[in-house]
Amino acid sequence: NDRIRVETSVLYDMCGATETTIHIFRESWWARDVQELLGRLRNRLQSLLERGDQKKLKIYANIGATAALVAYYRAYSDIPFARELALEIGAEAASRRMTVDDPLLLSRACIAFEARFKSIDAVLGRYSHVTRFVEIPAGFSTRGLTMTRNNPGIEYVECDLAVMLGVKQEALAHLLSNQSGSLQFQAASILDGDELDRAVSRLTFGPVAITTEGLLSYLTHEEKVVAARNVRGVLSTRGGVWVVTDLTRSEERRVGK
């Protein structure tokens, strides 16, 4: 169906600075195995949560330990509002207590997550006719805020766990005196077709770009099938594109699964 496109942002051949960034992303993710780093950090954060070191860290246990870490990494980039949001949610506090014995790997992680974010932006730029967006899961991404700010023609729905969205909306309210009404929030999982449909229904009818960043590598094959089926249900009716990253874990790539 030519009305449905699925794009894997890390496989695109970009030009100029973006091409260099994507190349760095590939190298840092594959050769240095950032997934291994995330596993170590996630385990370390969980141990802190069990000891009850910080109230905010307890919140992160419910919304995904890596969300705050990714926000912290992005704070070192030039992604709009990334630093401000990271400061507001206390992402540095979550990361400061992590024990990482490989500084080079940590620095490459910062590059990798910036590149991953920008690779999605680069792909979306190829669909300038699309003005409706669903980001699922949104985490502490600032893409929706950037795209809707001073651009009333853009419609954007961020989806995640309800507690995650609550933390994020509170942080954005502190950062900005006024937010675009075209930036909306809807609790939804990509594995629940009804929830995804409810999120999409908040947009006017027409082609939609659905972005899924950093999630699929954590899903089983069966869950990926469910996610793809749910997204296809949306795109087969509306048309549009699904932009995804990290289809498999690095261990699966190495063994050829």
Side-chain angles (χ1 to χ4, degrees):
N1 189 333
D2 60 6
R3 297 177 64 246
I4 301 176
R5 296 293 303 278
V6 178
E7 307 285 19
T8 306
S9 64
V10 297
L11 299 182
Y12 263 82
D13 291 326
M14 305 299 179
C15 59
T18 303
E19 182 177 7
T20 301
T21 304
I22 301 307
H23 174 71
I24 294 173
F25 171 56
R26 287 200 190 101
E27 293 302 313
S28 60
W29 190 264
W30 287 48
R32 300 294 299 182
D33 197 357
V34 174
Q35 288 280 29
E36 178 184 350
L37 170 68
L38 285 180
R40 299 209 310 268
L41 295 180
R42 185 167 56 249
N43 292 336
R44 172 61 175 157
L45 179 56
Q46 185 59 43
S47 68
L48 291 173
L49 293 168
E50 292 171 355
R51 295 205 307 267
D53 284 17
Q54 275 196 5
K55 181 179 179 180
K56 279 191 175 181
L57 295 185
K58 292 180 181 180
I59 295 175
Y60 295 152
N62 296 321
I63 62 178
T66 59
L69 296 172
V70 173
Y72 176 66
Y73 296 145
R74 289 175 180 159
Y76 289 94
S77 71
D78 60 354
I79 296 171
F81 300 107
R83 179 169 176 76
E84 292 85 346
L85 183 58
L87 291 173
E88 184 63 35
I89 65 173
E92 182 178 5
S95 299
R96 188 189 305 126
R97 288 174 167 77
M98 305 299 171
T99 300
V100 179
D101 56 6
D102 190 339
L104 178 60
L105 181 57
L106 183 59
S107 66
R108 285 174 178 259
C110 292
I111 296 173
F113 288 111
E114 177 184 359
R116 188 178 72 180
F117 186 94
K118 291 182 176 179
S119 70
I120 291 180
D121 286 346
V123 173
L124 291 177
R126 295 172 176 257
Y127 297 88
S128 58
H129 65 288
V130 176
T131 59
R132 304 166 188 84
F133 301 87
V134 171
E135 186 169 8
I136 183 168
F140 290 119
S141 164
T142 57
R143 183 176 293 108
L145 175 61
T146 302
M147 293 183 68
T148 57
R149 192 162 176 79
N150 302 318
N151 193 348
I154 297 294
E155 301 175 51
Y156 207 105
V157 178
E158 293 194 7
C159 301
D160 215 301
L161 299 174
V163 65
M164 175 69 169
L165 296 178
V167 172
K168 187 172 186 179
Q169 286 179 274
E170 181 181 355
L172 293 179
H174 290 164
L175 285 177
L176 304 171
S177 58
N178 62 314
Q179 297 180 44
S180 170
S182 58
L183 177 58
Q184 305 179 67
F185 302 88
Q186 177 71 44
S189 166
I190 199 170
L191 299 178
D192 189 313
D194 291 337
E195 290 183 356
L196 180 59
D197 288 341
R198 280 195 292 273
V200 174
S201 69
R202 303 188 68 165
L203 304 169
T204 59
F205 189 80
V208 58
I210 299 175
T211 61
T212 303
E213 179 179 356
L215 172 66
L216 295 187
S217 63
Y218 293 98
L219 302 183
T220 65
H221 174 76
E222 291 73 19
E223 288 171 330
K224 291 173 186 175
V225 171
V226 172
R229 183 181 297 120
N230 291 338
V231 172
R232 181 177 177 81
V234 172
L235 299 184
S236 62
T237 301
R238 286 175 165 259
V241 60
W242 185 23
V243 184
V244 300
T245 65
D246 319 329
L247 291 175
T248 61
R249 293 183 183 273
S250 51
E251 310 89 65
E252 294 174 340
R253 296 190 189 107
R254 286 197 295 268
V255 299
K257 291 184 179 178

